[in-house]
Amino acid sequence: MLVAICSPRNPCNAAAPDGEATRFLGLRLDAALERLRDEGLNILFSSEFVPPTLVVASEPVGKSREEILDSLLAPHGLASARGPGGVRLVVRAKRRGAIRGLARNATTATPLPGVRVQVLATSIAAVTDGDGRFTLEQVPDGAHAVEAHVPGFASARIERVPVVAGRTTELRLDLTPVHLAPEEVTVRARGEWPPHGAPVTHTVLDGAAIQGRPEVASDLMRAIEDLPGFTGREESAAVSVRGGLDDEAMVLLDGLELYDPFHLRDYQNFISMVDARTVESATVISDIFPAEYGGRLSGVIEIDTRRPEGHGGLFAVGSEDLYAQGYGGYRGGRGHWLVAARAGFPGEQAEGVTADTGLTTNYQDLLAKTSYQVTGRTTVDLNLFGAFDRVKKREAVNGGFSSKDVDRYAWVALRNIWGPGLLSRTTVARGRLEHERRGEDDGSAVRDDRETEILGVKQDWAWEVGRHLVKWGGDLQHLMARYRYRSVVPDLEDPKTLVTNVVDLDPSGTNIALYAADRFRVLPVLDVELGLRWEHQDYIDNVDRHLAPRVGLAWRPGERNAVRLAWGTVFQPKRIHELQVEDGATTFSRPSKAEHASLRYEHRIGNGIHLGLGVYRKRISRLEPRYENLFQSLSLFPEVSAYRVLVAPDDARARGFEMRVDSGDAAEGPAWWASYARARAEDRIDGRYEARSSDQRHDLGTGVGIELGRWGLGLTGRYRSGRPTTPVTAEEMVLAGGAMGFEVVAGSRNSERLPFELRFDFRVDRGWTIGRGRLDAYATVINLANRDNVCCIDDFDVNPLPDGGADAVPQKRVPLNRELRVGISWTF
């Protein structure tokens, strides 16, 4: 029997993440060296180089005692050298570089713990932590081959990784999974949730790359517009997915759905709530999504915030916002914490969006999160997120316009590993949304007070057994809302008459969802996923229950090729806070239904270049009537516009072709991409198809990023066909008192197009290493060519003609002129 004696010089070892005892983790470094000396390695060191304050923070790697010694010393800037008689001398390491990075599952894009990463031809190695992170210290100058391997995955190797003394090279290693017997899955499944099956087409955007883009405030949602099938507008951060409406994409933040994920919602959702500097990655799905997702018709955007390593922070000042971030880790690598805050003041950038002027706008958001590994099999995540928006009218008359939004979320997630390949995640959450809008100028007297409470618990399970990955779970939400809408506006037919609209509603109810799915391998080159989702909403009239089947297939005819086929149905109920009470709606109709079908081909060309081609079809039924503005669409009070119309489609359809090619994993040269989408989205009204307002026939985009030493250059360009618009004519009419005049009469809805849009954005940045910190500065030019891209029409001027007739001349709105934005940041 082996008995361990604990003492100050030889403290008891901490448990490894998998619960097994470790030899060196938690020891003082001098005690660890003494232990190696007791095991037969002749080591000579002094307290000058090895003071008693140095502690072993991670278990060393290596097979021989010499490799273990080097692994112990490297994190402290030390190394070993051969002395006389075979003695190993502890000396200060020569100034060298480092390699830091992330190991991921190439199929699901999730981090991989337990991966051994080694610089070949050296003894320098590390094992990834629970977040898939690794750091290789004291790497000599030059180009090195780096290899990663873990049971259950094919080894990944990158040749000629450049290392420069005093600098850190960032690296990402994607490992391709192979199917294993159940007892071999434990390392692969340690604490990370498998978000997607192989048959599902999804794109992962890296947070660091998004920050370097020239878009407005490096907005995550605006960067998503670069993907085929995602269409945006210059005046808004909201995206339309394959012809869907703005509210048809689900946005998840660290596993929790954000109901309204945008700041300045009365300003056309001007910017997304989640700052790109806080983002680790974003997974985007536009095909039919797996059964664990539901409630939205068109797409999923799943945002994972940073998983920091070490301690540090960031402070940034820009022409559009202030940003601060602090982070740290817990002893023994058992977890991390992160706090990030932003204050934005878009000013004229947002003022150009609406038809109103003289407004002051500001917004703030705060994220606080911590993740702690309680045991080798249990991890607890605690998250807090809040957002605040304020808009006021300057020099207002009679109080003028003002609005305020306050969103607060808190959620706790418990992740467990129950056995080989069996995982669960339990999430308990609460959210509160408050919206306040006032009137005048010139929506007349409007009040719009809404409050929403969300209480929810969700549990997800995944079990990899044999050739199957089985997923199941459920979601229970209790929802409460309060509407206190008031408006007093002139009657459009008789301006002397005032119309009062008063709505007092307090709807409440539950939303329940259950799902099950199985992904299995039919052949070595063929994977299939079958899923079924059941949903129930009891706050909807007549209580709605529905089943949504999903099917996905992935065929890999070669190492560089993949064909993905997906089909399924999804439902979208009206959320409890989404009633259009401003237009008189007081009840919830049954959920809309969409049937998706898509076919996609993917090919990896040489040098890491990736090509994707796809076609899709989407049929939408059970559509709820909605109100839209033919014109004055950017008004702060759209419900009082004379051009507001009811759109009541029998059904709708969307179809299209998508293509994207990018530099992929190419290790050298500039990063670049190009995409093209040809699409059509139409509503069927009274037996006739007409273009949806979200219809985008042609969308061509491209971008390139180049690193020249410490300089970075980025250029993006986009061409879009013109948006749908409605033609008008000026027709003669009899005015009050018998005089003749003209009125504007609308023609067939969305039967014409505005001019095409063309825009280029440019960014340049420069970094300086100062001590242990880094200073970065950037300058961005938005709409480099200063093109007038017309988004919409505010109103019309009626100009008489010599023949006695008249023309209706549109007042076109250009929301974004050429602008320069600058900023600096300090990372420490």
Side-chain angles (χ1 to χ4, degrees):
M1 180 173 62
L2 179 64
V3 179
I5 306 297
C6 302
S7 67
R9 181 165 179 82
N10 185 26
C12 292
N13 292 341
D18 58 4
E20 298 176 358
T22 58
R23 296 181 58 207
F24 298 98
L25 179 63
L27 290 176
R28 282 176 20 190
L29 181 59
D30 55 1
L33 298 181
E34 290 285 2
R35 176 170 290 187
L36 277 179
R37 181 185 290 168
D38 294 342
E39 293 177 359
L41 186 61
N42 194 0
I43 308 173
L44 183 62
F45 63 92
S46 72
S47 59
E48 178 185 358
F49 292 161
V50 189
T53 56
L54 299 183
V55 177
V56 179
S58 60
E59 188 67 16
V61 295
K63 297 180 179 179
S64 67
R65 295 189 182 95
E66 288 80 4
E67 290 176 341
I68 293 174
L69 173 62
D70 289 338
S71 184
L72 284 169
L73 297 174
H76 306 285
L78 303 172
S80 67
R82 290 189 177 276
V87 174
R88 305 293 298 190
L89 304 174
V90 176
V91 299
R92 293 195 189 280
K94 295 180 179 179
R95 183 174 171 81
R96 296 186 174 188
I99 300 175
R100 182 174 60 199
L102 172 68
R104 305 190 315 176
N105 183 325
T107 300
T108 66
T110 54
L112 279 176
V115 180
R116 189 176 192 274
V117 184
Q118 182 172 6
V119 180
L120 298 183
T122 75
S123 60
I124 302 171
V127 175
T128 60
D129 61 17
D131 292 321
R133 296 286 185 179
F134 67 90
T135 302
L136 301 166
E137 303 278 2
Q138 299 299 316
V139 183
D141 284 7
H144 300 273
V146 176
E147 187 173 73
H149 60 86
V150 68
F153 290 76
S155 297
R157 179 168 175 168
I158 299 181
E159 304 287 349
R160 301 189 61 79
V161 176
V163 177
V164 179
R167 299 176 66 178
T168 298
T169 300
E170 296 289 342
L171 195 64
R172 192 184 78 197
L173 296 161
D174 291 327
L175 287 77
T176 303
V178 295
H179 280 264
L180 306 173
E183 63 271 14
E184 296 179 288
V185 180
T186 303
V187 173
R188 177 178 172 182
R190 187 179 297 165
E192 287 299 330
W193 189 257
H196 314 295
V200 177
T201 301
H202 62 277
T203 303
V204 179
L205 300 177
D206 181 73
I210 295 170
Q211 295 175 43
R213 298 186 53 79
E215 278 86 8
V216 176
S218 296
D219 192 336
L220 167 66
M221 302 299 287
R222 295 179 190 268
I224 289 174
E225 296 175 21
D226 294 338
L227 303 178
F230 290 81
T231 303
R233 310 188 303 272
E234 291 191 342
E235 70 273 14
S236 175
V239 293
S240 168
V241 185
R242 291 180 170 175
L245 305 180
D246 287 353
D247 64 350
E248 293 183 9
M250 170 183 284
V251 178
L252 298 147
L253 177 66
D254 286 336
L256 181 78
E257 182 180 4
L258 301 180
Y259 266 33
D260 284 314
F262 300 99
H263 282 299
L264 303 178
R265 293 193 281 274
D266 289 318
Y267 257 21
Q268 310 297 312
N269 298 320
F270 180 73
I271 192 169
S272 59
M273 281 185 179
V274 184
D275 191 278
R277 289 162 288 199
T278 311
V279 174
E280 180 81 23
S281 64
T283 302
V284 183
I285 309 173
S286 57
D287 286 340
I288 180 67
F289 27 89
E292 56 262 39
Y293 302 104
R296 298 290 91 181
L297 286 183
S298 295
V300 173
I301 301 167
E302 188 163 12
I303 303 169
D304 291 320
T305 55
R306 289 194 58 199
R307 298 180 178 94
E309 59 177 28
H311 291 74
L314 168 69
F315 182 74
V317 180
S319 53
E320 63 270 354
D321 62 15
L322 298 173
Y323 179 83
Q325 180 186 117
Y327 56 86
Y330 298 116
R331 185 172 179 178
R334 287 187 171 271
H336 59 265
W337 59 267
L338 171 72
V339 178
R342 173 177 57 165
F345 31 88
E348 293 183 359
Q349 302 166 18
E351 192 173 85
V353 168
T354 66
D356 206 343
T357 58
L359 297 168
T360 59
T361 58
N362 62 80
Y363 60 86
Q364 297 90 40
D365 50 62
L366 171 68
L367 171 74
K369 59 175 283 188
T370 182
S371 178
Y372 188 77
Q373 193 171 23
V374 181
T375 70
R377 296 178 178 271
T378 302
T379 301
V380 177
D381 302 322
L382 174 62
N383 304 268
L384 300 172
F385 181 73
F388 175 85
D389 299 350
R390 188 71 175 177
V391 180
K392 288 186 177 181
K393 175 78 174 181
R394 295 192 297 266
E395 300 177 358
V397 179
N398 299 325
F401 171 78
S402 70
S403 74
K404 181 177 72 173
D405 286 283
V406 181
D407 293 9
R408 295 185 289 264
Y409 296 92
W411 66 105
V412 179
L414 183 67
R415 294 180 285 152
N416 285 288
I417 304 173
W418 300 98
L422 180 61
L423 307 174
S424 74
R425 180 175 60 191
T426 304
T427 305
V428 179
R430 182 185 180 188
R432 180 175 177 83
L433 286 64
E434 300 175 12
H435 175 73
E436 176 185 299
R437 188 169 62 137
R438 291 294 180 261
E440 312 291 347
D441 278 60
D442 188 15
S444 199
V446 176
R447 286 175 50 196
D448 186 0
D449 295 334
R450 310 182 191 210
E451 294 180 2
T452 309
E453 290 273 359
I454 308 137
L455 301 173
V457 58
K458 182 180 181 183
Q459 191 167 63
D460 302 281
W461 290 80
W463 185 26
E464 188 163 12
V465 52
R467 293 178 174 267
H468 295 262
L469 173 61
V470 184
K471 299 175 289 183
W472 70 96
D475 190 2
L476 172 63
Q477 292 180 324
H478 180 61
L479 307 169
M480 298 169 286
R482 183 177 72 89
Y483 294 86
R484 298 293 183 267
Y485 183 84
R486 304 283 190 281
S487 68
V488 180
V489 298
D491 190 305
L492 297 179
E493 300 296 331
D494 182 5
K496 296 181 180 180
T497 303
L498 296 180
V499 177
T500 301
N501 181 14
V502 179
V503 179
D504 287 329
L505 292 175
D506 295 281
S508 64
T510 57
N511 180 35
I512 304 173
L514 301 172
Y515 73 89
D518 182 17
R519 192 187 92 205
F520 53 93
R521 177 155 293 179
V522 179
L523 299 171
V525 295
L526 180 63
D527 288 289
V528 176
E529 180 164 331
L530 304 177
L532 185 65
R533 185 179 182 89
W534 176 82
E535 295 175 337
H536 162 88
Q537 294 86 27
D538 66 7
Y539 61 88
I540 290 175
D541 290 356
N542 300 320
V543 181
D544 194 84
R545 302 181 180 90
H546 42 265
L547 283 171
R550 321 273 172 89
V551 179
L553 179 149
W555 174 47
R556 296 172 300 281
E559 292 183 358
R560 296 186 175 184
N561 301 289
V563 178
R564 306 181 194 274
L565 178 65
W567 173 89
T569 60
V570 291
F571 292 83
Q572 177 166 323
K574 180 76 73 175
R575 290 195 181 105
I576 203 162
H577 72 301
E578 292 178 332
L579 273 178
Q580 284 187 281
V581 294
E582 62 272 25
D583 294 302
T586 58
T587 59
F588 295 89
S589 60
R590 62 178 183 169
S592 300
K593 176 184 178 182
E595 178 187 343
H596 293 250
S598 64
L599 175 65
R600 184 173 178 82
Y601 170 71
E602 298 172 1
H603 177 66
R604 288 193 176 275
I605 309 172
N607 299 322
I609 298 174
H610 178 263
L611 170 68
L613 303 171
V615 293
Y616 67 89
R617 186 200 67 189
K618 181 167 59 174
R619 295 186 180 275
I620 311 166
S621 58
R622 299 171 39 161
L623 283 168
E624 180 183 23
R626 64 185 186 272
Y627 288 86
E628 293 183 357
N629 285 18
L630 295 179
F631 314 107
Q632 297 179 345
S633 59
L634 302 188
S635 170
L636 296 169
F637 301 98
E639 67 266 38
V640 302
S641 169
Y643 302 109
R644 195 160 180 82
V645 298
L646 174 66
V647 181
D650 302 317
D651 53 52
R653 65 184 183 185
R655 57 192 187 275
F657 164 78
E658 300 168 351
M659 179 185 71
R660 181 180 171 94
V661 59
D662 57 58
S663 55
D665 299 327
E668 299 180 359
W672 55 269
W673 60 270
S675 67
Y676 171 72
R678 172 74 169 92
R680 184 185 292 267
E682 299 168 310
D683 288 316
R684 186 170 67 90
I685 301 176
D686 296 330
R688 182 178 59 86
Y689 281 102
E690 59 184 44
R692 285 186 143 194
S693 299
S694 56
D695 180 61
Q696 186 66 70
R697 297 296 170 85
H698 298 276
D699 191 332
L700 175 64
T702 186
V704 61
I706 303 174
E707 292 189 8
L708 301 173
R710 296 184 178 182
W711 290 88
L713 304 174
L715 178 67
T716 59
R718 181 167 298 279
Y719 164 87
R720 291 192 180 109
S721 54
R723 307 183 197 183
T725 189
T726 301
V728 299
T729 56
E731 297 187 3
E732 193 172 20
M733 63 174 292
V734 178
L735 302 176
M740 300 300 295
F742 294 92
E743 68 173 347
V744 175
V745 177
S748 179
R749 174 178 172 266
N750 288 345
S751 60
E752 292 188 354
R753 296 271 168 176
L754 294 172
F756 70 86
E757 300 175 21
L758 181 64
R759 175 175 144 190
F760 295 94
D761 299 332
F762 175 74
R763 176 182 171 114
V764 58
D765 54 65
R766 173 71 157 86
W768 296 267
T769 300
I770 303 175
R772 296 185 178 181
R774 178 181 174 87
L775 179 68
D776 291 277
Y778 74 88
T780 297
V781 181
I782 303 296
N783 194 7
L784 184 64
N786 200 27
R787 176 180 169 82
D788 290 342
N789 291 316
V790 179
C791 74
C792 35
I793 295 173
D794 288 340
D795 215 326
F796 296 88
D797 295 320
V798 178
N799 295 339
L801 298 175
D803 61 2
D807 271 345
V809 180
Q811 300 172 6
K812 299 178 180 179
R813 172 158 289 275
V814 177
L816 193 63
N817 296 312
R818 180 167 55 206
E819 295 180 9
L820 173 66
R821 293 159 190 173
V822 297
I824 59 173
S825 64
W826 172 250
T827 306
F828 52 91

